[in-house]
Amino acid sequence: MHEFKYRDHKLFCESVDLRELAGRHGTPCYVYSAGTIRENYRRLAQSLEGLNVRICYAMKANSNLAVLRLFSKLGASFDLVSGGEIRRVLKAGGDIGTSVFAGVGKTSEEIELALRNGVFSFHVESEPELERIDRIAGKLKLKAPVAVRVNPDVDAGTHAKITTGKSENKFGIPFDRAPDVYRLAANLKNVEIRGVQIHIGSQITKTEPFVAAIEKMRPLVEKLKAQYGITYFSIGGGLGIAYDEALASGDPAWWERVDGGKNLLTPERYGRAVVPLLKDLGLEILLEPGRFMVGNAGVLLTRVEHVKRAPDRNFVVVDAAMNDLLRPAMYEAFHEIVPVAENEARITADVVGPICETGDCFAKRRELTGAGEGDVLAVFSAGAYGYVMAGRYNTRPMPSEVLVDGDRAAEVTARETFAQMVANEKIPDFL
Ligand SMILES: *Cc1c(COP(=O)(O)O)cnc(C)c1O
């Protein structure tokens, strides 16, 4: 569900005309809908009614300060993966004391920063990490709250680069070894066992993998509660969104039509599947959704530079590239592409960026309308793992970001200047 809709052949984000917005802020430009994010948060929270739930937004999906402020105002906590993310939450006025710190490679500095800011819990991925946390907590004369990330070894049925819950993945402690690691934690003086955690992958569009993982974990979770008095079970994130027909998915009737057929995940379907498995555990349930919260709440606006016609293939060359939105090149991801102003012109073409890489391609043999030179296109479902994965390849500046709320729009990240791009570079004297 999202708030990007056509009115009279013009694409709006809430009450803002996206062609006018592109004219004002330039392209490439990410645009986010605050209303969509609020609605996603509300729906997910509501679908888990009956549980004692805390939603820790996985901010790596979109860590813009304005987006973090919005989540903070909604009452969300955060799933953090770096010292930089801790600092972002502090800067946005969010609460570290209810947030969790995840990741396989936490440095000593990051652990210290999290401890000093009173992080709610560390999600521990290995024994050496546990011992390091114990050492640093001892030095600071603090007790470090921890949960062990257990790898339940279930197949999330998603892309190989984003599956995390199989035994061959680098994430978590193998299921059978979890009791040993909890025993180790119990023997460390400066850690306090607080919970247990799983996260099986990303862009999961069926309920079955979530159900399988929770069912497998239940006996262990009950044992940990009895033995160590854990107070929470984090069931991770990974809820998938609609990438195909992303435009149509903004229409509630579309979900009714595909319901059952495509088995796409809605928060309601997710809630119906997991709540019965969790509600009698007597534990706080943490959720760490990233993509679901923001994915469909953002688009990337890009302008057509050239239309290049060749005998066997057409190319629509746009001013965004793989450095701005990496997902198609990295995950072979599908993104729907539509014009911000519809017209009669039609073309079947590859939509490509200007970078000299075959992978710099957003779509192959796509049927497009309103994609002539100078026209603006919206690349859908770009709110998650979009701007945060952008870079400067080809000395292209980081794009801008705009947040829309009703009829208001504010630039929340300015387009990078050339001076900013080269600010940290130096030519040494000996040259
Ligand atoms: C990335 C990640 C998430 C969020 O994943 P989404 O698919 O964006 O919901 C949650 N928890 C952990 C531990 C992660 O690494």
Side-chain angles (χ1 to χ4, degrees):
M1 292 286 294
H2 57 77
E3 286 294 323
F4 293 90
K5 296 196 174 85
Y6 282 105
R7 281 191 217 159
D8 207 11
H9 304 290
K10 292 183 194 146
L11 188 63
F12 279 73
C13 173
E14 304 192 28
S15 304
V16 174
D17 182 332
L18 287 176
R19 182 162 65 169
E20 287 175 19
L21 199 75
R24 213 158 44 242
H25 296 283
T27 51
C29 171
Y30 281 93
V31 182
Y32 311 126
S33 157
T36 302
I37 293 174
R38 281 194 201 97
E39 178 63 8
N40 288 343
Y41 184 87
R42 189 196 64 74
R43 267 182 80 186
L44 185 59
Q46 194 168 51
S47 74
L48 298 163
E49 228 161 62
L51 300 179
N52 176 13
V53 171
R54 180 187 316 188
I55 295 178
C56 296
Y57 165 56
M59 63 177 283
K60 70 174 189 275
N62 185 327
S63 56
N64 182 278
L65 292 175
V67 171
L68 300 183
R69 172 67 59 87
L70 178 58
F71 275 106
S72 178
K73 287 177 92 167
L74 287 169
S77 302
F78 298 92
D79 179 71
L80 312 155
V81 294
S82 71
E85 288 198 349
I86 295 173
R87 292 194 172 95
R88 275 185 181 273
V89 169
L90 292 170
K91 199 171 166 79
D95 187 9
I96 301 292
T98 58
S99 296
V100 292
F101 188 15
V104 292
K106 302 177 189 78
T107 67
S108 299
E109 293 74 23
E110 289 173 325
I111 291 167
E112 182 162 342
L113 183 68
L115 280 169
R116 285 190 188 282
N117 285 286
V119 74
F120 174 71
S121 192
F122 288 90
H123 287 171
V124 176
E125 305 232 9
S126 68
E127 286 126 310
E129 183 196 330
L130 195 53
E131 285 163 349
R132 181 182 284 187
I133 291 172
D134 177 65
R135 206 162 52 240
I136 296 168
K139 187 186 85 180
L140 298 178
K141 302 197 172 16
L142 293 168
K143 265 213 185 276
V146 301
V148 174
R149 174 170 180 180
V150 177
N151 186 333
D153 195 20
V154 300
D155 190 352
T158 181
H159 190 280
K161 282 190 185 163
I162 51 177
T163 193
T164 58
K166 289 284 290 166
S167 56
E168 69 258 33
N169 298 128
K170 69 180 176 183
F171 303 101
I173 299 284
F175 184 80
D176 296 331
R177 295 220 36 254
D180 288 344
V181 178
Y182 273 91
R183 216 165 295 128
L184 168 67
N187 286 326
L188 295 172
K189 275 210 306 287
N190 309 302
V191 309
E192 170 202 330
I193 297 171
R194 190 166 268 184
V196 59
Q197 199 260 352
I198 57 170
H199 173 69
I200 57 172
S202 197
Q203 186 53 20
I204 300 166
T205 51
K206 293 180 164 28
T207 55
E208 287 85 350
F210 295 109
V211 168
I214 294 169
E215 279 182 339
K216 182 159 181 191
M217 286 292 293
R218 268 192 62 120
L220 175 66
V221 173
E222 284 171 344
K223 222 163 76 193
L224 294 173
K225 187 184 173 203
Q227 266 184 304
Y228 303 110
I230 62 167
T231 62
Y232 80 91
F233 177 21
S234 170
I235 58 171
L239 288 80
I241 62 169
Y243 282 99
D244 300 356
E245 299 184 68
L247 176 64
S249 75
D251 174 8
W254 181 83
W255 287 97
E256 294 302 320
R257 276 201 306 281
V258 299
D259 194 72
K262 286 194 182 174
N263 197 14
L264 274 166
L265 201 67
T266 60
E268 292 76 19
R269 188 172 292 138
Y270 177 79
R272 278 197 299 274
V274 304
V275 169
L277 304 174
L278 297 166
K279 68 168 189 276
D280 58 352
L281 281 175
L283 293 174
E284 185 177 19
I285 303 300
L286 265 58
L287 249 73
E288 303 161 2
R291 188 190 313 269
F292 169 78
M293 288 293 179
V294 291
N296 286 137
V299 300
L300 173 63
L301 298 181
T302 182
R303 195 175 290 275
V304 177
E305 293 291 350
H306 306 286
V307 178
K308 189 172 151 184
R309 291 177 189 274
D312 58 342
R313 212 174 257 245
N314 299 315
F315 295 95
V316 167
V317 185
V318 296
D319 68 358
M322 61 190 282
N323 73 294
D324 302 299
L325 178 64
L326 190 57
R327 298 192 68 262
M330 178 137 157
Y331 308 113
E332 295 148 344
F334 178 96
H335 284 265
E336 194 169 6
I337 301 173
V338 298
V340 297
E342 286 182 314
N343 62 32
E344 299 298 306
R346 271 170 207 288
I347 188 170
T348 298
D350 290 6
V351 180
V352 298
I355 291 180
C356 182
E357 295 259 1
T358 309
D360 186 26
C361 177
F362 292 116
K364 287 222 157 69
R365 296 194 188 271
R366 195 68 69 80
E367 280 181 43
L368 302 160
T369 63
E373 185 179 326
D375 288 340
V376 174
L377 303 174
V379 182
F380 263 63
S381 318
Y385 306 107
Y387 184 90
V388 289
M389 294 180 101
R392 299 178 185 84
Y393 187 36
N394 278 219
T395 307
R396 292 167 51 83
M398 291 288 284
S400 60
E401 296 177 287
V402 169
L403 183 72
V404 168
D405 194 0
D407 58 1
R408 292 172 297 184
E411 189 174 75
V412 293
T413 303
R415 187 177 315 288
E416 198 172 35
T417 64
F418 175 73
Q420 289 169 330
M421 272 197 279
V422 295
N424 291 330
E425 296 181 32
K426 295 181 188 86
I427 299 171
D429 298 343
F430 53 78
L431 287 182

